[in-house]
Amino acid sequence: MPGTTLLGARLRRPRRIMVVMNPHAPGRRPARNRPARTRVAMIALSTALLASPIAAPAVAHAAPGVIATASSSPTAPDREIGLAGTQNTRTLGGYVGTGGRTVNDRVLRSDSLSKLTAADVEKLTQRGLKTVVDLRTDIEKRVQPNKRVSGVETVDADVLGKVSPVALVDLDQAYRAFVTDANARAQIRAAIVAIKDTAADGGTTLFHCSAGKDRTGWTAAVLLTILGVDRSTIDADYLASNHYRHADATGPLNGVNIGWLNASFAAAQKKFGSMDGYLTDGLKLTDRDIASLRENLLN
């Protein structure tokens, strides 16, 4: 949707301004187009305008130290793990995957971790968190640095690092770029491999962006596809961001709509022939990689 940034904010169309300069003034040079600076400025402005979290109603959670496996519903009360400093942190556990096996609790999806409380850090530690995959840009990380969790490795996977500036304000194009942009594929691969390696060691991975809905939404869709979760459940998990962020599909500042996710799946079909092609040819995942993910993330 033009005018809406992938980082969760709305930008106005910039006005063209003509500046008349004295051609004889010493040291003056005509202004030149600087695509890199333009892109950085757009990201910085988007980040600065990130929507403030909307207060969420209290929900019931498991007692401290008890990690309950979530049900198959994307919006079940036990899916949200109860962090005070985030709005969209939830487990992928409980979904039904390949062979009727259920996804375990070793993967969490989230929004920014910049406002974690001490109690939040303790909850993540109790869940065996070993790896955080940060899908954000460098500027986002500087503006909203994550709170550190002791003993946790951070994997930087900047999905937007090399996309066209236009993709930052056109979500349809951005979601296609998740698939068609080579760097985006490399970063999604890095995220999936980090999840695989951490799960193989018995640890939990949390992956996130700023709002936990777009870059995180596609990464979750890719992982759930690998685990054999059906498409309707994947769609529901993606749309659940509207529930947790108290938004709706018509509110682009905070929400998501299924058309954006469909754009990514359609791009995978067009460029690689199928999601299997995207996984093996686009993300360069091997049969061993996929088998490891299923072995360690499905009960």
Side-chain angles (χ1 to χ4, degrees):
M1 180 178 296
T4 303
T5 73
L6 187 60
L7 306 182
R10 183 182 296 275
L11 291 177
R12 294 181 179 179
R13 185 182 300 277
R15 293 180 296 175
R16 182 173 298 174
I17 301 174
M18 179 176 291
V19 179
V20 179
M21 302 178 64
N22 181 355
H24 303 292
R28 294 293 183 95
R29 293 183 297 175
R32 298 178 181 176
N33 290 328
R34 295 181 174 87
R37 289 187 180 182
T38 299
R39 179 179 177 279
V40 169
M42 292 173 71
I43 297 176
L45 181 57
S46 298
T47 304
L49 295 178
L50 282 172
S52 299
I54 302 171
V59 294
H61 299 290
V66 177
I67 301 175
T69 300
S71 72
S72 60
S73 170
T75 57
D78 55 354
R79 185 164 299 285
E80 189 177 19
I81 69 171
L83 301 185
T86 67
Q87 190 178 31
N88 199 9
T89 305
R90 42 198 163 105
T91 176
L92 296 181
Y95 294 139
V96 179
T98 298
R101 300 160 67 192
T102 57
V103 180
N104 62 35
D105 279 323
R106 290 181 181 170
V107 183
L108 304 170
R109 54 172 294 174
S110 183
D111 49 335
S112 170
L113 306 181
S114 64
K115 298 181 180 179
L116 289 180
T117 66
D120 293 340
V121 170
E122 179 60 25
K123 285 183 180 180
L124 291 173
T125 300
Q126 289 178 2
R127 299 187 75 94
L129 184 66
K130 296 300 180 184
T131 304
V132 167
V133 179
D134 194 334
L135 304 170
R136 300 177 298 164
T137 63
D138 289 339
I139 292 177
E140 288 173 279
K141 295 169 192 173
R142 288 197 292 269
V143 173
Q144 294 183 326
N146 281 347
K147 292 291 180 64
R148 303 296 299 179
V149 180
S150 179
V152 172
E153 176 188 3
T154 295
V155 174
D156 291 315
D158 179 3
V159 175
L160 295 179
K162 296 182 180 179
V163 302
S164 162
V166 176
L168 299 176
V169 294
D170 182 343
L171 282 171
D172 285 328
Q173 182 168 331
Y175 272 77
R176 290 192 295 271
F178 291 162
V179 174
T180 60
D181 180 75
N183 177 72
R185 293 196 302 272
Q187 303 309 318
I188 297 293
R189 170 188 162 76
I192 297 299
V193 169
I195 293 169
K196 172 185 71 73
D197 292 343
T198 303
D201 290 337
T204 296
T205 301
L206 181 151
F207 61 93
H208 76 97
C209 52
S210 286
K213 67 187 185 74
D214 298 309
R215 289 161 288 185
T216 298
W218 176 242
T219 303
V222 171
L223 179 61
L224 292 175
T225 298
I226 291 171
L227 298 179
V229 176
D230 66 90
R231 177 65 186 276
S232 63
T233 300
I234 292 172
D235 290 350
D237 178 80
Y238 171 78
L239 290 172
S241 282
N242 292 332
H243 169 79
Y244 294 108
R245 293 180 59 78
H246 310 284
D248 58 55
T250 62
L253 190 65
N254 283 300
V256 292
N257 76 66
I258 198 62
W260 297 333
L261 186 63
N262 287 342
S264 293
F265 278 110
Q269 181 71 34
K270 181 177 181 180
K271 187 171 182 66
F272 297 102
S274 65
M275 273 301 288
D276 285 344
Y278 167 71
L279 296 175
T280 57
D281 298 332
L283 300 187
K284 309 299 182 184
L285 296 174
T286 65
D287 290 344
R288 180 175 294 181
D289 292 331
I290 291 172
S292 177
L293 284 160
R294 291 177 175 173
E295 177 182 354
N296 294 299
L297 292 178
L298 292 172
N299 291 327

